[in-house]
């Protein structure tokens, strides 16, 4: 029996918008094992991004707990949360978030700076793994959207994190590129034994996956287990 690697237990998160209180997550719970690929699906505003932000310790829940790798992360100080993200989490954004003044190679090296050890060989190998060995000296403005997202995948893997959180990483791409990027991300995580949580509107974006968690109005409405083969 696989041991749970990410445990989200009865998590609630609310925000204030003027005089209104908005419940982004409502008593949400799920678990996943190390190395699993999970889709988090649902319409805009259903709480998917909030869930990722909490697992990344970018925010704290009002109630409930989140455990990653056996350690609770919900009460971390700002400094401890930053260390946790740098050592254990790779984040991939829809808008790529590459630094425009840096080359592809320099963007991949960037997460290594806090460790004060720039492993250029690893960065080169990661760019090669996503098919960009010949584009390492190009800046983001010289790359297509699909190529920029490939750089973002390589950057997310730079510090060998245990978990990759991808927030609609294919939202700015055409359908063909979107599927290629999603498949590349999934295969890169499986080959390296990384856990992947991918937020998407399309539950058929990649197959096979281990679980599909559907969200609506801040609640997990459906939990579908899929045999990954």
């Amino acid at each position: 029996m696989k041991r749970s690697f990410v445990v989200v237990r009865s998590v609630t998160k609310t925000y204030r918008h003027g005089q209104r209180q908005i419940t982004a997550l409502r008593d949400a719970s799920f678990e996943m094992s190390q190395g699993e690929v999970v889709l988090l699906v649902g319409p805009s505003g259903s709480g998917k991004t909030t869930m990722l932000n909490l697992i990344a310790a970018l925010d704290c829940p009002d109630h409930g707990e989140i455990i990653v790798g056996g350690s609770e992360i919900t009460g971390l100080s700002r400094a401890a949360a930053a260390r946790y993200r740098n050592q254990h989490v790779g984040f991939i954004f829809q808008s790529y978030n590459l630094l425009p003044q840096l080359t592809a190679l320099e963007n991949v090296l960037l997460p290594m700076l806090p460790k004060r050890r720039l492993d250029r060989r690893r960065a080169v190998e990661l760019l090669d793994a996503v098919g960009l060995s010949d584009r390492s000296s190009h800046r983001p403005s010289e790359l297509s959207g699909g190529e920029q997202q490939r750089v973002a995948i390589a950057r997310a893997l730079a510090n060998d994190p245990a978990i990759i959180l991808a927030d609609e990483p294919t939202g700015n791409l055409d359908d063909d590129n979107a599927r290629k990027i999603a498949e590349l991300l999934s295969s890169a995580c499986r080959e390296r034994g990384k856990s992947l949580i991918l937020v998407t509107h399309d539950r058929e974006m990649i197959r096979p996956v281990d679980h599909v968690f559907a969200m609506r109005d801040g609640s997990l409405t459906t939990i579908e287990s899929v045999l990954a083969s």
Side-chain angles (χ1 to χ4, degrees):
M1 183 176 180
K2 290 184 177 180
R3 180 181 178 184
S4 293
F5 179 68
V6 177
V7 179
V8 176
R9 188 174 293 141
S10 302
V11 164
T12 295
K13 180 64 182 179
T14 58
Y15 297 99
R16 284 210 166 272
H17 185 72
Q19 298 298 313
R20 295 173 57 212
Q21 181 169 287
I22 299 171
T23 301
L25 289 175
R26 192 189 316 270
D27 197 31
S29 299
F30 76 86
E31 298 184 17
M32 66 181 292
S33 299
Q34 177 68 53
E36 287 189 329
V37 174
V38 164
L39 297 186
L40 198 58
V41 303
S44 297
S46 60
K48 304 185 302 298
T49 295
T50 298
M51 180 70 79
L52 288 196
N53 288 342
L54 295 182
I55 295 172
L58 289 167
D59 206 346
C60 295
D62 300 323
H63 304 287
E65 61 180 355
I66 299 174
I67 299 168
V68 179
S71 299
E72 186 171 358
I73 64 164
T74 45
L76 295 178
S77 67
R78 182 175 296 183
R83 286 194 299 273
Y84 158 73
R85 284 190 296 274
N86 186 254
Q87 294 172 6
H88 303 292
V89 179
F91 219 114
I92 303 174
F93 304 88
Q94 178 177 336
S95 56
Y96 321 135
N97 282 15
L98 302 178
L99 291 186
Q101 70 272 29
L102 301 182
T103 66
L105 180 62
E106 290 166 344
N107 268 286
V108 176
L109 287 168
L110 195 61
M112 301 179 190
L113 286 175
K115 293 187 174 182
R116 302 181 185 276
R117 186 176 63 85
L118 299 183
D119 190 340
R120 185 182 179 89
R121 175 182 290 184
R122 176 170 176 79
V124 170
E125 288 174 348
L126 287 170
L127 282 175
D128 183 53
V130 298
L132 289 178
S133 57
D134 61 338
R135 309 286 277 172
S136 62
S137 62
H138 289 65
R139 289 182 170 79
S141 61
E142 301 170 308
L143 302 172
S144 68
E147 288 172 334
Q148 289 184 63
Q149 197 58 290
R150 287 170 183 263
V151 175
I153 291 172
R155 180 185 59 186
L157 292 166
N159 282 341
D160 198 29
I163 183 169
I164 301 292
L165 305 176
D167 193 2
E168 300 199 51
T170 62
N172 288 332
L173 304 176
D174 60 69
D175 289 346
D176 186 46
N177 267 317
R179 293 201 177 277
K180 287 179 180 177
I181 291 296
E183 289 170 3
L184 174 64
L185 176 58
S186 176
S187 62
C189 288
R190 286 202 186 278
E191 288 170 5
R192 293 166 174 78
K194 309 303 178 188
S195 301
L196 170 64
I197 302 178
L198 191 152
V199 165
T200 179
H201 291 284
D202 180 8
R203 68 171 59 219
E204 301 300 324
M205 176 61 67
I206 49 173
R207 291 288 176 172
V209 297
D210 297 282
H211 305 283
V212 177
F213 299 144
M215 297 192 69
R216 182 172 294 276
D217 298 327
S219 298
L220 283 166
T221 59
T222 305
I223 301 177
E224 173 189 345
S225 292
V226 183
L227 179 62
S229 59

